Amino acid sequence: MMPFKHALFSFNGRIRRRDWWLWSIALLLIQTLAVRVTDTLLFGPDADLQAGNNFAWFFGTAPVTGVHLTGLAFGLVFLWPALALTLKRARDRDRRGRELVFIQLAAAASLLLPVDVFETAGRAFDAADYTAAAPAMLYGVALMIGSLYQLVVLGFLDGTPGPNRFGTSPKGIGGDTAEVFS
């Protein structure tokens, strides 16, 4: 596995699928835990935590203002490592990765939306007020499609075998992997 500093803070080189999955899952869990713990410390425990339902506390709902503000703060903190992983993985596939970075930034920008924007759009859709529901619904659908595209490209498609224009193979095919980290 690639060194911590290079994996999360450098935009140079390539990263293989296995490492992308491991670092991405680790970042997701750390970010989620940081948001939930900070939210609980700042705004008090939510009903799920008080009821002993730790799984729902970790993945569930908390006070609306707290989760949004702490989610935004930690989303910005974790954006750099997420972008570094995205670009290195795209480069392993011999792509510049601009569209993948755009998808990542669009997902991060969703934290700037009001907390209840999709709930309000859903209610408007249920009331047949499609013009009020359309912007949030279209943004949500586009974000889901983009995220699915990003997941397939980064997480399931193999990288370029051997060296490419972004460096040697992280699998050690066609060159020394030590060259990437020097």
Side-chain angles (χ1 to χ4, degrees):
M1 195 153 141
M2 109 178 349
F4 171 78
K5 182 179 172 184
H6 180 73
L8 300 180
F9 299 107
S10 169
F11 288 93
N12 298 326
R14 299 166 56 180
I15 191 171
R16 59 192 299 183
R17 273 181 299 181
R18 177 199 66 192
D19 294 343
W20 180 82
W21 276 108
L22 292 173
W23 284 114
S24 295
I25 291 169
L27 279 178
L28 174 69
L29 292 175
I30 291 168
Q31 181 179 356
T32 304
L33 185 62
V35 167
R36 303 305 285 168
V37 168
T38 303
D39 185 55
T40 300
L41 291 174
L42 292 176
F43 302 101
D46 67 353
D48 289 323
L49 186 61
Q50 290 176 333
N53 190 349
N54 296 331
F55 184 80
W57 170 77
F58 189 75
F59 293 106
T61 61
V64 172
T65 55
V67 121
H68 190 64
L69 294 177
T70 54
L72 177 61
F74 281 105
L76 291 174
V77 168
F78 283 85
L79 184 60
W80 185 277
L83 289 174
L85 289 172
T86 299
L87 273 178
K88 281 195 286 284
R89 183 67 193 119
R91 289 176 177 164
D92 186 44
R93 302 207 59 251
D94 203 17
R95 300 171 64 142
R96 290 191 190 276
R98 290 180 186 150
E99 76 282 2
L100 301 169
V101 167
F102 177 75
I103 293 167
Q104 193 83 26
L105 292 174
S110 68
L111 293 170
L112 297 172
L113 296 174
V115 177
D116 63 344
V117 70
F118 294 111
E119 181 180 346
T120 304
R123 287 190 182 139
F125 190 80
D126 289 344
D129 186 2
Y130 303 118
T131 57
M137 297 296 230
L138 289 174
Y139 180 76
V141 168
L143 193 57
M144 283 192 306
I145 291 170
S147 297
L148 183 60
Y149 170 75
Q150 185 180 36
L151 181 67
V152 169
V153 169
L154 300 178
F156 296 109
L157 299 179
D158 198 15
T160 305
N164 67 19
R165 61 188 164 149
F166 297 108
T168 60
S169 173
K171 294 180 181 179
I173 302 170
D176 184 17
T177 56
E179 295 172 14
V180 175
F181 304 120
S182 55

